[in-house]
Amino acid sequence: MTTPALLPLSGRRIPPLNLGPPSFPHHRATLRLSEKFILLLILSAFITLCFGAFFFLPDSSKHKRFDLGLEDVLIPHVDAGKGAKNPGVFLIHGPDEHRHREEEERLRNKIRADHEKALEEAKEKLRKSREEIRAEIQTEKNKVVQEMKIKENKPLPPVPVPNLVGISGGDPEDNDIREKREKIKEMMKHAWDNYRTYGWGHNELRPIARKGHSTNIFGSSQMGATIVDALDTLYIMGLHAEFLDGQKWIEDNLDFSVNSEVSVFEVNIRFIGGLLAAYYLSGEEIFKIKAVQLAEKLLPAFNTPTGIPWAMVNLKSGVGRNWGWASAGSSILAEFGTLHMEFVHLSYLTGDLIYYKKVMHIRKLLQKMDRPNGLYPNYLNPRTGRWGQYHTSVGGLGDSFYEYLLKAWLMSDKTDHEARKMYDDAIEAIEKHLIKKSRGGLIFIGEWKNGHLEKKMGHLACFAGGMFALGADGSGTDKAGHYLELGAEIARTCHESYDRTALKLGPESFKFDGAVEAVAVRQAEKYYILRPEVIETYWYLWRFTHDPRYRQWGWEAALAIEKYCRVSGGFSGVKDVYSSTPTHDDVQQSFFLAETLK
């Protein structure tokens, strides 16, 4: 779940190229097969594979088509001086059936022609000497390098930057509140300084081992995820020297032309989101430039039969795939549904509609699909356009999809009525089928699995208390009070999940079965990895109600993190919140600096 720092803020594509040196075998006089024969074998296998794939293309007449339709979609532009709307209309038109058939026939003819052309070109290449082939490759390589240099040096169009309110200056009058805020700032310094010392340039930090750390969501490269993710928090806290350190690292080292497979979702929210937030806060062009460079690398992930992006994409080759565990090769709702805000901003900043069109295509497709009981399942197959397993969750796999619908409406200055309706309809179905009251009187959000309600709530789902409060305004005069109250009830339940542990920190998920309420049962669900969602909900409820209990609950969580998660080399998650002598997991997550401490 994400918490963009700047909620009110509201390209040309370069195909990935492998610029590495050509690989030629060392030739010996005793080679048993000639080089040309080997190349011919490879070529034959390739052509056979292509023709095989062609003949096994699905009969499109048997599958449901996903047209974008003829609706007009409105995106407001931002006036720098007043934050007022300057609406511009983008039209997206869907082809009819006749055009579909013509397009399919044109595609088939093109495939045949391309295959014949490739075969002729390959034969021509085989007639050339090795030296001639090398010379041609070097010429093409030099040409591509020059084109990329021109592209990278071309400035982005200037656009007005909104005036931002409340991001700097001002101290609380209450001494106690001021001291608590300074303590959180000191915790941020401790986390950042140790990352700076022991993990600089790595994605995350192992604070006990005092070395860099990464996971497969960031690929195999050192992309400095913590640096990019934490920039806006540093700026808001007034840690400008640290901010400039991060900026310099980004200018000198952040490179997306790497042979690395990354999570489209994670890289979008942590890198593109982090860079855009830093740009809007500081006005430094480097952040905008880097955000656009990365976004171009993510575009090949959308090259699927339905336009629903792959979960993973290789930044260099553009090859995408989905997680092996995700319901028969499905994409995940919370991942492809959590691109909208960043991509709309990218179109605004670049003047290139491709980013906007990609995310609006996703929205239009979802609107056309049938939803069981009005609920959005967590899995959607990008090849077939059909739902995977009927599993609906407001926690992991689903959470930020709903958050982005609401914030798309807010980001548009409440003119994106389509997003608001999708949010309202989804929340109505969630309240009807997933939100229940326990025997002890706690309101919780369960998970729907194949027609059955699982009475389990995840820590990730605790963000929903804040979301309900945020969405209360605009939900209708008869429902605003109800959703604010619902948000408060979710906050109370999630506070109980913290309060019923030895460490006063919440588990990853907790059950509501029989006598067990708001408590984790399985050992694998008892960990806390510095997550922000519960504290985020406290923050929203404090802002909307100014009830002091939410500040107090937030401070209790901060003290627990300080006592049990702080180590000499930073902050670490814990493996069992019910143990008074917890074991650390030795990972300082980037979102701890980007979200929890913020």
Side-chain angles (χ1 to χ4, degrees):
M1 216 287 299
T2 62
T3 308
L6 306 176
L7 178 63
L9 301 180
S10 283
R12 286 164 302 278
R13 173 181 168 191
I14 300 177
L17 296 165
N18 188 330
L19 300 180
S23 176
F24 290 98
H26 295 289
H27 290 271
R28 299 173 185 265
T30 57
L31 280 178
R32 287 173 290 181
L33 291 175
S34 72
E35 181 184 8
K36 290 185 177 180
F37 184 60
I38 293 173
L39 290 171
L40 189 57
L41 284 175
I42 295 172
L43 179 64
S44 300
F46 174 75
I47 292 172
T48 302
L49 178 63
C50 289
F51 273 106
F54 170 73
F55 284 116
F56 283 99
L57 283 174
D59 180 359
S60 59
S61 65
K62 297 179 182 179
H63 299 283
K64 182 177 179 180
R65 304 186 187 283
F66 295 96
D67 304 332
L68 289 180
L70 298 175
E71 298 85 355
D72 295 350
V73 182
L74 181 66
I75 294 186
H77 291 249
V78 179
D79 179 78
K82 302 178 181 179
K85 307 186 298 294
N86 178 19
V89 177
F90 301 154
L91 292 175
I92 302 176
H93 297 291
D96 57 21
E97 287 295 318
H98 179 68
R99 287 181 60 195
H100 266 295
R101 288 192 292 271
E102 288 183 345
E103 179 67 17
E104 288 167 1
E105 184 60 30
R106 186 193 66 78
L107 179 60
R108 292 175 188 273
N109 292 335
K110 185 177 184 303
I111 290 173
R112 292 190 186 97
D114 287 346
H115 284 170
E116 291 172 2
K117 181 179 178 182
L119 183 58
E120 289 302 318
E121 289 177 352
K123 288 178 179 178
E124 183 64 27
K125 291 286 184 187
L126 290 174
R127 296 189 188 103
K128 296 181 179 181
S129 68
R130 185 172 55 190
E131 288 71 22
E132 288 176 316
I133 293 174
R134 278 179 170 167
E136 285 186 5
I137 291 174
Q138 188 60 45
T139 299
E140 288 299 317
K141 180 179 176 181
N142 293 338
K143 181 180 176 182
V144 169
V145 170
Q146 286 302 117
E147 288 176 352
M148 291 196 70
K149 284 182 179 178
I150 294 171
K151 168 63 180 175
E152 289 175 359
N153 294 330
K154 188 172 183 179
L156 294 169
V159 293
V161 178
N163 290 331
L164 306 180
V165 179
I167 60 168
S168 62
D171 284 321
E173 294 182 1
D174 188 308
N175 286 334
D176 179 59
I177 297 300
R178 186 161 55 247
E179 289 174 5
K180 288 175 178 176
R181 191 173 74 161
E182 286 303 309
K183 177 57 184 176
I184 301 301
K185 185 174 176 179
E186 185 276 330
M187 292 169 70
M188 180 69 180
K189 275 276 291 176
H190 180 69
W192 176 265
D193 288 348
N194 279 282
Y195 169 77
R196 181 71 174 84
T197 301
Y198 302 114
W200 193 240
H202 289 269
N203 290 312
E204 292 174 322
L205 171 68
R206 287 194 176 275
I208 297 173
R210 299 191 176 188
K211 63 181 183 180
H213 169 72
S214 191
T215 65
N216 63 339
I217 61 174
F218 302 120
S220 56
S221 299
Q222 295 182 21
M223 295 171 62
T226 294
I227 298 172
V228 181
D229 217 2
L231 283 172
D232 57 343
T233 305
L234 292 170
Y235 195 97
I236 291 168
M237 288 185 175
L239 297 171
H240 295 301
E242 291 80 358
F243 180 89
L244 290 174
D245 261 357
Q247 179 178 336
K248 187 175 188 311
W249 185 91
I250 288 170
E251 289 174 342
D252 296 342
N253 300 285
L254 188 56
D255 178 19
F256 303 118
S257 299
V258 290
N259 185 18
S260 187
E261 187 182 54
V262 301
S263 163
V264 174
F265 159 72
E266 296 287 357
V267 165
N268 177 65
I269 63 172
R270 302 196 201 204
F271 284 82
I272 295 181
L275 290 165
L276 290 179
Y279 168 68
Y280 280 123
L281 285 165
S282 70
E284 294 292 337
E285 285 288 311
I286 185 63
F287 299 126
K288 180 171 71 171
I289 291 168
K290 291 291 184 180
V292 174
Q293 287 176 358
L294 176 56
E296 290 174 340
K297 296 288 186 179
L298 298 186
L299 286 176
F302 292 82
N303 294 338
T304 66
T306 59
I308 296 294
W310 300 113
M312 310 284 287
V313 70
N314 186 293
L315 293 177
K316 189 167 191 176
S317 69
V319 175
R321 69 178 178 92
N322 275 341
W323 303 106
W325 49 264
S327 186
S330 291
S331 297
I332 297 168
L333 182 68
E335 295 192 342
F336 65 76
T338 308
L339 304 170
H340 189 96
M341 289 200 293
E342 292 83 357
F343 274 49
V344 169
H345 273 282
L346 287 166
S347 281
Y348 171 69
L349 292 172
T350 64
D352 190 338
L353 296 186
I354 189 170
Y355 306 106
Y356 168 80
K357 289 179 178 179
K358 294 295 185 186
V359 291
M360 287 306 299
H361 179 95
I362 294 172
R363 181 189 288 185
K364 293 296 185 182
L365 189 151
L366 290 175
Q367 285 181 314
K368 289 178 176 292
M369 296 191 66
D370 294 327
R371 301 191 302 278
N373 296 315
L375 299 169
Y376 288 91
N378 291 335
Y379 300 108
L380 178 61
N381 192 300
R383 292 187 179 90
T384 66
R386 297 189 179 95
W387 297 119
Q389 179 188 6
Y390 281 2
H391 174 202
T392 297
S393 168
V394 181
L397 307 180
D399 51 4
S400 46
F401 166 69
Y402 307 101
E403 174 194 10
Y404 268 45
L405 287 176
L406 176 60
K407 290 181 178 178
W409 174 69
L410 290 168
M411 189 176 73
S412 73
D413 199 16
K414 302 181 181 180
T415 62
D416 188 350
H417 303 297
E418 188 177 65
R420 179 73 212 205
K421 185 177 189 315
M422 289 178 71
Y423 170 80
D424 288 337
D425 291 347
I427 296 309
E428 182 179 347
I430 286 167
E431 187 169 12
K432 180 177 181 180
H433 297 287
L434 303 187
I435 296 179
K436 303 296 178 183
K437 179 183 282 191
S438 71
R439 293 179 182 178
L442 295 177
I443 304 295
F444 67 95
I445 310 173
E447 298 187 11
W448 192 265
K449 288 188 177 181
N450 296 317
H452 170 72
L453 181 68
E454 186 174 3
K455 297 179 180 180
K456 178 180 77 171
M457 184 171 177
H459 192 290
L460 288 165
C462 284
F463 92 98
M467 180 179 71
F468 292 143
L470 182 63
D473 180 25
S475 60
T477 54
D478 58 332
K479 292 185 177 181
H482 166 71
Y483 282 116
L484 189 60
E485 183 179 347
L486 179 60
E489 289 292 340
I490 296 299
R492 183 170 79 94
T493 297
C494 293
H495 176 258
E496 285 298 315
S497 77
Y498 273 52
D499 201 46
R500 298 180 185 190
T501 71
L503 307 186
K504 304 304 178 184
L505 293 169
E508 182 69 3
S509 62
F510 40 95
K511 299 255 185 171
F512 295 87
D513 286 336
V516 176
E517 293 197 359
V519 173
V521 176
R522 297 172 58 238
Q523 187 62 39
E525 297 173 339
K526 295 181 179 181
Y527 61 88
Y528 172 71
I529 57 171
L530 307 172
R531 288 200 186 277
E533 291 78 24
V534 174
I535 297 172
E536 177 189 354
T537 275
Y538 297 162
W539 179 80
Y540 275 114
L541 266 296
W542 156 253
R543 281 299 182 100
F544 285 115
T545 69
H546 282 267
D547 186 329
R549 82 174 77 179
Y550 299 115
R551 265 188 167 166
Q552 182 58 34
W553 288 354
W555 182 241
E556 289 170 2
L559 291 178
I561 291 171
E562 172 76 1
K563 182 175 182 179
Y564 295 109
C565 300
R566 184 169 181 148
V567 296
S568 60
F571 288 87
S572 168
V574 293
K575 295 182 179 180
D576 188 347
V577 294
Y578 299 97
S579 170
S580 57
T581 56
T583 303
H584 293 102
D585 66 12
D586 196 20
V587 178
Q588 180 176 284
Q589 307 277 351
S590 79
F591 56 68
F592 177 64
L593 292 80
E595 302 182 55
T596 311
L597 291 174
K598 186 187 296 167

